[in-house]
Amino acid sequence: MTQPIIQLSGLDKFYGNFQALSQVDLDIKTGEFFSLLGPSGCGKTTLLRSIAGFETPSAGSLYIDGQSMDGVPANKRPTNMVFQSYAIFPHMSVAENVAYGLKARKLPKAEIKTRVTDAIAMVGLQGFGERASHGLSGGQRQRVALARALVLKPRVLLLDEPLSALDKKLREQMQSELRQLQRAVGITFVLVTHDQEEALTMSDRIAVMFDGTIAQVATPQDLYGQPCSRRVANFIGMMNFLDAKILSTSGETVDVDVQSFGKLTLPLGQATGGLEGCDAVGVRPEMLTILTGSQTAEREIEAVVSEVFYYGDMTYYDVRLPFKEESVTITMRNTAGRSILGVGEKARVGWSASSLLLLK
Amino acid sequence: MTWFQKWRRGEGAQGLFLISPTLAFTLLLLAVPLVMVIVLSFWTQDYLTLHRTFSLENYRTAWTEPMYQYLMARSLKISMLVTAMTVLLAYPVAYFISFRVSPKRKAMWIFLITIPFWTSYLMRIFLWKVILGYNGVVNGSLMGLGVIEQPLSFILYNQNAVVLTLAHAWVPFAILPIFVALERVDRSLIEAAEDLGDTKWRRFLRVTLPLSMPGVIAATIIVFIPTIGDYVTPRLVGGPNGLMIANMIELQFKKANDAPLGAALAISAMIIVTCVALIFIWLNKKYIREAK
């Protein structure tokens, strides 16, 4: 395997007494679309700004492309950034904005011109070159910011919540455009976001961060399917939790006593974050089914519907299981002929032991 | 209801009532005297008799007489020098407060800048006389150190002294607009410039300076307009070669007893200042439009 483009080890960052980053170790592979995901204040932006060179880590090492970035200022790093505010120079036209970095590198005029034209075309802004930058819409500003950074052919493109300022429809469009652009240019993208859906749909790999530490690094599928802790599971999508108590372990299996579900034997692989400290079992809402008529499942349990949310294509049920205070959410696809249950009706809930995750 | 009652209850009338004290003040003490000066400038005076017939004679004198041309040019030169010096001195201070001082301390620094205003302007001019005078602080120190044997004479009672004194007085007024403009420069733009490969000095020239130009232009206008008409400073520290157009206007109104010519000189000076100010305002608009 080739060398990672970004290698972080033992990175710490303090602001006074506040620790923004704590012992961050991370390798980002060349050419991947990598996301830093976490709630606000988790340190993801600080981490990105440390890579860009705007923050100096208090401890630890940072290598980009095999080179130590210790003491290397932002203007000398092989990274470029798309800022959250886009930071488009208001006193310059679109083309002047895109040409900014090329002029800083004192390239010949003819080369600047062709590269700027290509970059503007690449982000779909043909004909906008002479426009003043202050008349642009949010989406256009973002494209200018992208062109301005990509025209320099950086080794890594850093994106700080680039889609948060756009409305929902434009955001979804830009998500797929960004993904396509990344595939086309082959540059490593590092994206900071607090939107789990955005991270899941766009990334090759995701690092989930809480309180200045990285909780889990995984592909979107693994992150959703095998979260390493309750906190990660809760942050990525919906998850039902049932109290669980480990009774004993033997070789490849573990015996647990699960609230409502009773005593079970699960393979050790279902303790995705390790067995130590596990006190709950998680199950995704779509892994539970409400059985109708003669349908059967591997295991069944009686429940009472306490709330119904109808979404058109889906119905979200909140149901009460025996021996459990809080309700459990089940999502069902509204296929043809399937009737919607009402509040207070009894339901047979089908589940399987293989869809349970042992979490701490 | 009569139209008057209707009008009186309208929003326009309410606004008019609200501004009426200021309006009356402005009309009586600014507009009326101004009109009087304009009217006066078209009359002529012969010793003590005022001829109330329309005449452009005063303007012909004001614009063709070499002495007035020379004084006007000197006034322009001095106030341009003062403006240049003031803005050049104010910019680094404003930059320092905006970029280097921690946000908590900025208000304190701005407050410190106003300290010179605690003393009257006349006092400050006299202090410059003490500092620059024949037996003043500068000469005394230099002679005491043995750097010079005779007191320097070129530091007081000439144009240099006028420029220095005026610049010192006006720097605080220039710092404030530049500071405000620098505060409004989005810091992420400067980071973006750094990210795109510019060194500190280059990103100042390409981003910070152009974006702070509205403040620089405002400071220029604020300093230039009042200094060109200043007459206290040249009178006290300017010596015979440091006199400016305002001193001549004063002379015409008082000792020379030719108020109409003084009025014509004053109106001429106002026209020139207006033209210069309009150029700056046009420049400012251009920058503001681009910076939006």
Side-chain angles (χ1 to χ4, degrees):
Chain A
M1 204 196 102
T2 54
Q3 184 188 35
I5 185 83
I6 293 176
Q7 291 170 287
L8 306 169
S9 60
L11 219 62
D12 279 337
K13 176 69 186 173
F14 287 91
Y15 294 109
N17 283 329
F18 174 72
Q19 186 161 17
L21 293 177
S22 151
Q23 289 297 307
V24 172
D25 298 313
L26 186 62
D27 282 354
I28 297 175
K29 293 180 211 155
T30 307
E32 76 176 331
F33 197 126
F34 193 91
S35 291
L36 296 169
L37 174 65
S40 54
C42 73
K44 57 191 191 298
T45 296
T46 306
L47 184 55
L48 193 82
R49 289 172 58 82
S50 303
I51 298 172
F54 296 124
E55 305 284 350
T56 313
S58 311
S61 69
L62 162 59
Y63 286 83
I64 299 178
D65 211 6
Q67 304 279 312
S68 170
M69 288 294 123
D70 207 20
V72 179
N75 55 343
K76 297 273 186 328
R77 294 195 181 190
T79 57
N80 282 114
M81 187 140 159
V82 173
F83 290 80
Q84 189 170 11
S85 62
Y86 309 140
I88 304 296
F89 301 118
H91 55 304
M92 295 181 183
S93 70
V94 169
E96 283 170 328
N97 263 284
V98 177
Y100 194 99
L102 297 170
K103 279 189 189 148
R105 282 161 181 71
K106 301 198 170 74
L107 295 177
K109 273 208 172 115
E111 190 189 341
I112 293 182
K113 205 172 171 206
T114 50
R115 279 175 74 172
V116 167
T117 314
D118 291 349
I120 290 178
M122 180 179 69
V123 295
L125 284 179
Q126 294 95 328
F128 278 80
E130 296 316 309
R131 285 268 197 108
S133 50
H134 52 77
L136 301 176
S137 69
Q140 287 166 339
R141 295 168 77 80
Q142 180 178 51
R143 286 163 204 259
V144 175
L146 272 170
R148 188 175 70 180
L150 287 173
V151 76
L152 301 172
K153 302 197 170 84
R155 301 287 287 135
V156 181
L157 183 73
L158 306 169
L159 303 111
D160 186 7
E161 307 235 10
L163 304 174
S164 61
L166 306 178
D167 62 58
K168 190 169 182 286
K169 205 160 184 191
L170 191 57
R171 193 161 63 226
E172 280 164 6
Q173 187 195 337
M174 286 309 293
Q175 280 177 11
S176 77
E177 277 189 35
L178 262 182
R179 183 70 235 204
Q180 283 167 13
L181 194 63
Q182 194 267 338
R183 287 213 183 95
V185 295
I187 291 172
T188 312
F189 276 32
V190 180
L191 174 91
V192 157
T193 180
H194 63 267
D195 183 338
Q196 45 111 354
E197 202 178 299
E198 194 173 294
L200 288 176
T201 53
M202 293 167 80
S203 323
D204 293 317
R205 286 196 309 150
I206 300 168
V208 180
M209 291 182 73
F210 295 117
D211 308 326
T213 56
I214 291 182
Q216 189 171 8
V217 182
T219 62
Q221 295 92 313
D222 286 352
L223 204 58
Y224 188 82
Q226 292 162 9
C228 72
S229 68
R230 292 172 72 147
R231 206 167 175 195
V232 173
N234 227 353
F235 195 72
I236 312 285
M238 269 199 276
M239 182 72 101
N240 296 305
F241 296 104
L242 298 148
D243 293 343
K245 209 170 134 192
I246 296 170
L247 301 171
S248 64
T249 52
S250 55
E252 291 298 295
T253 58
V254 54
D255 291 330
V256 283
D257 185 5
V258 181
Q259 187 182 27
S260 304
F261 286 180
K263 282 180 186 149
L264 294 167
T265 303
L266 299 175
L268 269 180
Q270 281 172 242
T272 42
L275 209 52
E276 200 185 324
C278 285
D279 57 359
V281 146
V283 58
R284 295 283 183 196
E286 68 276 14
M287 294 298 179
L288 300 172
T289 32
I290 290 184
L291 304 168
T292 53
S294 59
Q295 272 186 313
T296 52
E298 181 194 318
R299 289 158 195 265
E300 291 177 20
I301 187 168
E302 282 290 323
V304 177
V305 176
S306 59
E307 208 66 75
V308 180
F309 303 95
Y310 180 72
Y311 282 89
D313 59 335
M314 304 283 287
T315 306
Y316 285 46
Y317 292 99
D318 280 354
V319 301
R320 281 277 157 77
L321 298 182
F323 314 113
K324 183 164 166 56
E325 290 277 311
E326 313 91 64
S327 57
V328 165
T329 304
I330 303 173
T331 54
M332 295 299 299
R333 187 153 287 285
N334 294 329
T335 46
R338 190 174 180 93
S339 58
I340 311 286
L341 292 178
V343 174
E345 281 189 66
K346 281 204 168 132
R348 280 191 299 131
V349 174
W351 58 283
S352 75
S354 63
S355 64
L356 303 184
L357 295 169
L358 252 176
L359 297 167
K360 58 184 171 232
Chain B
M1 221 193 304
T2 65
W3 68 267
F4 180 74
Q5 281 169 317
K6 245 186 207 167
W7 173 80
R8 223 183 58 180
R9 287 175 193 192
E11 215 170 277
Q14 281 179 12
L16 202 62
F17 290 136
L18 276 173
I19 63 161
S20 56
T22 330
L23 190 66
F25 196 82
T26 315
L27 280 176
L28 277 174
L29 296 176
L30 191 71
V32 172
L34 193 62
V35 170
M36 280 166 66
V37 170
I38 292 171
V39 170
L40 191 62
S41 72
F42 291 112
W43 291 346
T44 46
Q45 188 169 357
D46 182 14
Y47 192 45
L48 284 177
T49 39
L50 204 58
H51 297 288
R52 293 197 168 92
T53 43
F54 180 83
S55 159
L56 288 171
E57 183 57 27
N58 295 318
Y59 284 97
R60 202 189 57 76
T61 315
W63 286 87
T64 55
E65 196 76 35
M67 180 175 57
Y68 303 134
Q69 286 179 345
Y70 180 73
L71 269 182
M72 195 62 227
R74 181 198 278 168
S75 302
L76 272 171
K77 189 188 91 182
I78 288 180
S79 59
M80 276 175 184
L81 275 174
V82 170
T83 309
M85 198 167 150
T86 309
V87 171
L88 284 178
L89 287 174
Y91 199 98
V93 179
Y95 186 91
F96 174 80
I97 300 172
S98 181
F99 282 83
R100 294 281 177 272
V101 174
S102 79
K104 277 182 282 180
R105 299 247 169 84
K106 280 180 184 174
M108 189 195 75
W109 274 85
I110 294 295
F111 173 73
L112 287 178
I113 281 165
T114 64
I115 283 183
F117 296 129
W118 297 7
T119 325
S120 110
Y121 180 52
L122 273 180
M123 287 303 223
R124 278 181 278 151
I125 302 179
F126 279 112
L127 280 174
W128 277 107
K129 283 179 88 156
V130 170
I131 293 168
L132 300 173
Y134 192 78
N135 292 316
V137 177
V138 174
N139 279 329
S141 320
L142 287 176
M143 291 211 318
L145 288 169
V147 181
I148 50 170
E149 286 180 1
Q150 292 291 313
L152 301 171
S153 55
F154 65 87
I155 53 174
L156 188 60
Y157 298 126
N158 55 25
Q159 295 176 21
N160 299 337
V162 178
V163 172
L164 188 66
T165 309
L166 279 173
H168 170 248
W170 286 95
V171 159
F173 291 105
I175 291 174
L176 291 174
I178 298 173
F179 169 75
V180 171
L182 284 170
E183 281 291 283
R184 281 170 49 183
V185 174
D186 184 351
R187 298 304 191 258
S188 69
L189 294 176
I190 298 162
E191 282 191 342
E194 182 181 5
D195 186 68
L196 294 167
D198 263 350
T199 55
K200 263 190 180 149
W201 178 239
R202 297 260 305 161
R203 60 186 184 256
F204 170 75
L205 288 182
R206 293 177 76 189
V207 178
T208 317
L209 185 61
L211 290 176
S212 62
M213 274 319 273
V216 171
I217 291 167
T220 307
I221 297 174
I222 287 174
V223 177
F224 181 80
I225 293 176
T227 49
I228 198 170
D230 195 275
Y231 81 97
V232 184
T233 318
R235 186 72 182 279
L236 291 174
V237 299
N241 290 325
L243 290 181
M244 289 163 71
I245 192 74
N247 301 104
M248 179 51 76
I249 296 169
E250 187 206 6
L251 191 77
Q252 294 298 339
F253 270 96
K254 289 180 176 168
K255 283 191 185 137
N257 208 5
D258 194 350
L261 180 59
L265 282 170
I267 298 296
S268 303
M270 274 175 71
I271 290 168
I272 290 167
V273 171
T274 309
C275 288
V276 177
L278 282 176
I279 293 170
F280 281 122
I281 288 168
W282 174 77
L283 275 175
N284 202 16
K285 266 201 181 138
K286 198 169 154 254
Y287 265 111
I288 285 171
R289 189 165 352 112
E290 277 177 6
K292 248 179 196 166

